[in-house]
Amino acid sequence: GNSVTQMEGPVTLSEEAFLTINCTYTATGYPSLFWYVQYPGEGLQLLLKATKADDKGSNKGFEATYRKETTSFHLEKGSVQVSDSAVYFCALSFYGGATNKLIFGTGTLLAVQP
Amino acid sequence: KAGVTQTPRYLIKTRGQQVTLSCSPISGHRSVSWYQQTPGQGLQFLFEYFSETQRNKGNFPGRFSGRQFSNSRSEMNVSTLELGDSALYLCASSSDGTHSGNTIYFGEGSWLTVV
């Protein structure tokens, strides 16, 4: 079946450190890939997406590249801020199908210390 | 434009009761999906409605049901509540179809506590 695997958290970093959150997927076919972020007490916000292999999604300094050969979509940021503290979810969906269903990973809590 | 609006934001129910949650999608969006978020199971897809028809359903018991109205607003209902139904219920909306330009937007969720 289709699934998403994320690295276990929490990830604790100091401000201005480099961030990587690993995400790999298993899918039949060619999914689109997403990173969503959830701040405390809030819903999910789309952070970035990539719809085909080798696409790079980017937003607010975050980047992720769709790697078909390694079935990965790792999230990176060069210099994190305290305000980036949140839970990050990797997800996949199949465009062109008959549904907008998203399949999520378990989420990774990021805590950035000043 | 206004985002996805969910009501109520917080509620407490007793085991055996039923609950109805409401979701107003972004104006013009016809697809509405519901997800359950719990610490143990993470984010799980409940169902999706498009133009008043359910077009996909997750692996939840029949106690969980939903519907969509002609104005695209959606409700989900959980009957005979169990303690394990305590969760954050998230509604998501998107525009017409499932093409690659589509973006799925989430509301802030309804926090349900069953006691």
Side-chain angles (χ1 to χ4, degrees), chain A residues 36-45 85-89, chain B residues 37 43 88 90 108 111:
Chain A
Y36 279 85
V37 59
Q38 186 175 35
Y39 297 101
E42 298 185 10
L44 298 174
Q45 298 177 28
S85 298
V87 180
Y88 291 81
F89 292 91
Chain B
Q37 185 178 20
L43 279 155
L88 175 65
L90 290 164
E108 293 193 328
W111 289 92

Side-chain angles (χ1 to χ4, degrees), chain B:
Chain B
K1 55 183 175 181
V4 180
T5 304
Q6 293 188 242
T7 56
R9 288 294 316 279
Y10 305 92
L11 65 167
I12 300 173
K13 291 287 188 178
T14 304
R15 267 182 305 175
Q17 288 186 315
Q18 73 159 10
V19 66
T20 299
L21 308 178
S22 180
C23 173
S24 293
I26 292 171
S27 178
H29 284 189
R30 293 190 291 163
S31 167
V32 174
S33 302
W34 289 89
Y35 293 80
Q36 182 196 63
Q37 185 178 20
T38 60
Q41 300 298 318
L43 279 155
Q44 294 186 291
F45 174 80
L46 280 156
F47 28 66
E48 179 194 5
Y49 288 86
F50 182 80
S51 294
E52 302 180 64
T53 301
Q54 187 184 87
R55 68 178 181 183
N56 201 355
K57 186 177 188 301
N59 189 25
F60 278 82
R63 300 185 297 107
F64 292 81
S65 63
R67 60 178 174 169
Q68 187 179 32
F69 303 95
S70 59
N71 61 359
S72 293
R73 191 177 69 85
S74 177
E75 291 181 345
M76 67 162 283
N77 184 276
V78 187
S79 62
T80 320
L81 284 165
E82 302 177 358
L83 295 178
D85 297 332
S86 295
L88 175 65
Y89 290 88
L90 290 164
C91 173
S93 82
S94 58
S95 61
D96 61 342
T98 58
H99 58 82
S100 62
N102 205 17
T103 296
I104 300 170
Y105 298 89
F106 283 81
E108 293 193 328
S110 293
W111 289 92
L112 171 65
T113 301
V114 182
V115 297

Side-chain angles (χ1 to χ4, degrees), chain A:
Chain A
N2 304 310
S3 64
V4 175
T5 302
Q6 285 182 240
M7 63 187 289
E8 291 280 335
V11 174
T12 304
L13 296 172
S14 298
E15 207 165 22
E16 299 184 2
F18 185 85
L19 168 70
T20 299
I21 300 178
N22 290 337
C23 170
T24 57
Y25 67 90
T26 301
T28 52
Y30 303 99
S32 293
L33 302 173
F34 307 83
W35 278 100
Y36 279 85
V37 59
Q38 186 175 35
Y39 297 101
E42 298 185 10
L44 298 174
Q45 298 177 28
L46 178 64
L47 184 58
L48 53 84
K49 69 179 183 182
T51 58
K52 61 183 187 299
D54 300 325
D55 266 2
K56 177 186 281 189
S58 61
N59 186 26
K60 300 180 181 179
F62 291 90
E63 292 183 340
T65 301
Y66 189 145
R67 301 287 188 200
K68 181 182 169 186
E69 62 276 13
T70 55
T71 62
S72 64
F73 193 54
H74 305 320
L75 182 68
E76 297 182 335
K77 187 176 185 183
S79 176
V80 294
Q81 306 299 312
V82 172
S83 57
D84 294 327
S85 298
V87 180
Y88 291 81
F89 292 91
C90 185
L92 67 81
S93 182
F94 288 94
Y95 285 130
T99 178
N100 280 311
K101 175 183 176 180
L102 285 162
I103 297 170
F104 287 93
T106 53
T108 302
L109 173 63
L110 170 65
V112 181
Q113 298 174 336

